[in-house]
């Protein structure tokens, strides 16, 4: 844990480091709330590690992100190629594996999918996705405090709400929407309506 924090301090901006600590903290709180096995705290520990590492590649140059993907045969879409910041999850998981020997697939997948989400997310994936959005230092977003409460009550409804807000935000900004973000929203909208 010390080694991870030292790396993050060195490679992230001050604000990004602060955000990362916030995500780890909230991920731990959500993991306590939704822990599937209260006989041990493995799940809570995994949430802390995934929270700390989720943005570890965020401040890397775009060219370097693309280079790492190319060199390691990490596939990416045309939207990811033109907007390489979308790749910081995939590259982050690569760093988690190579620099910190993280082999737990649940942690790696939570890092990979934290920006766009995906249909049928694992509990840990949803926790990191949500913690990223609601952590205390996030700039105020519409309905943020309502979503913060919802997160501790109904995790799938919270996913639907965040994805719907993100799509609206991307539309108003005229940013292209990654196919996966749309697919994720569709799947949670369907799930919540059921
Ligand atoms: O890395 P963070 O800023 O903590 O959070 P993040 O990894 O969720 O990235 C946030 C940004 O990613 C936010 O401005 C919305 C954007 N995003 C999410 N889905 C898509 C997207 N951007 C584009 N262009 N297309 C998407 O589908
Ligand atoms: Fe991120
Ligand atoms: Fe983040």
């Amino acid at each position: 844990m010390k080694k991870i924090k030292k790396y993050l301090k060195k490679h992230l901006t001050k604000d990004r480091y602060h955000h990362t600590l916030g995500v780890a903290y909230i991920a731990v709180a959500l993991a306590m709330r939704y822990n599937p096995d209260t006989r041990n705290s493995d799940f809570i520990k995994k949430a802390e590690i995934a929270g700390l590492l989720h943005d570890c590649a965020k401040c890397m140059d775009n060219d370097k992100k693309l280079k790492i993907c190319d060199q390691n045969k990490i596939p990416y879409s045309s939207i990811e190629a033109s907007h390489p910041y979308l790749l910081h999850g995939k590259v982050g998981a690569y760093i988690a594996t190579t620099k910190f020997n993280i082999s737990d697939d649940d942690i790696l997948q939570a890092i990979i999918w934290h920006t766009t989400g995906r249909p049928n997310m694992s509990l840990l994936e949803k926790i990191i996705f949500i913690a990223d959005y609601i952590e205390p230092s996030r700039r105020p977003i519409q309905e943020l405090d309502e979503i913060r409460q919802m997160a501790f009550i109904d995790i799938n409804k919270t996913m639907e709400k965040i994805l719907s807000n993100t799509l609206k935000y991307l539309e108003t900004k005229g940013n292209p929407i990654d196919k996966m973000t749309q697919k994720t929203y569709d799947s949670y909208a369907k799930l919540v309506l059921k």
Side-chain angles (χ1 to χ4, degrees):
M1 211 58 92
K2 257 201 184 137
K3 194 180 154 199
I4 293 178
K5 285 192 180 162
K6 201 174 153 194
Y7 177 94
L8 296 173
K9 247 194 176 148
K10 188 171 164 203
H11 288 88
L12 300 181
T13 62
K14 221 172 153 209
D15 283 357
R16 184 59 51 181
Y17 182 67
H18 190 65
H19 159 74
T20 292
L21 295 184
V23 172
Y25 186 77
I26 297 303
V28 163
L30 287 168
M32 288 174 176
R33 158 68 177 86
Y34 293 106
N35 193 354
D37 181 3
T38 46
R39 285 167 303 181
N40 67 62
S41 39
D42 292 359
F43 186 70
I44 296 169
K45 199 78 212 156
K46 289 208 296 186
E48 186 179 9
I49 296 170
L52 281 176
L53 287 172
H54 84 285
D55 272 344
C56 70
K58 182 84 178 186
C59 299
M60 185 186 280
D61 284 347
N62 282 337
D63 287 350
K64 193 169 173 198
K65 284 192 204 91
L66 289 166
K67 201 170 135 197
I68 289 180
C69 287
D70 290 335
Q71 284 175 344
N72 297 283
K73 301 197 168 61
I74 299 169
Y76 51 86
S77 66
S78 53
I79 290 196
E80 288 172 325
S82 53
H83 298 78
Y85 70 89
L86 290 169
L87 285 171
H88 72 274
K90 286 181 183 171
V91 176
Y94 169 80
I95 291 173
T97 313
T98 52
K99 286 232 188 303
F100 304 109
N101 289 319
I102 306 283
S103 55
D104 184 292
D105 202 46
D106 206 20
I107 294 178
L108 297 174
Q109 297 299 325
I111 299 172
I112 291 177
W113 298 109
H114 85 265
T115 304
T116 61
R118 62 167 167 172
N120 292 313
M121 287 162 86
S122 73
L123 179 59
L124 188 64
E125 286 171 26
K126 290 190 267 197
I127 284 177
I128 298 304
F129 185 91
I130 292 171
D132 195 17
Y133 199 83
I134 68 172
E135 64 93 4
S137 69
R138 261 279 174 228
R139 269 179 283 121
I141 320 170
Q142 237 189 348
E143 302 168 287
L144 183 55
D145 283 312
E146 196 190 327
I147 295 172
R148 283 175 167 149
Q149 281 195 345
M150 200 194 275
F152 289 87
I153 298 166
D154 186 332
I155 200 164
N156 287 329
K157 212 169 135 189
T158 307
M159 288 297 301
E160 190 272 341
K161 188 79 197 155
I162 293 175
L163 285 153
S164 142
N165 277 7
T166 300
L167 287 178
K168 268 188 239 157
Y169 167 80
L170 292 173
E171 269 161 30
T172 53
K173 290 230 352 181
N175 284 354
I177 289 163
D178 190 285
K179 273 199 199 97
M180 195 51 90
T181 311
Q182 185 66 50
K183 265 196 189 166
T184 312
Y185 169 70
D186 293 346
S187 75
Y188 283 95
K190 216 167 129 191
L191 195 73
V192 167
L193 281 176
K194 251 194 246 168

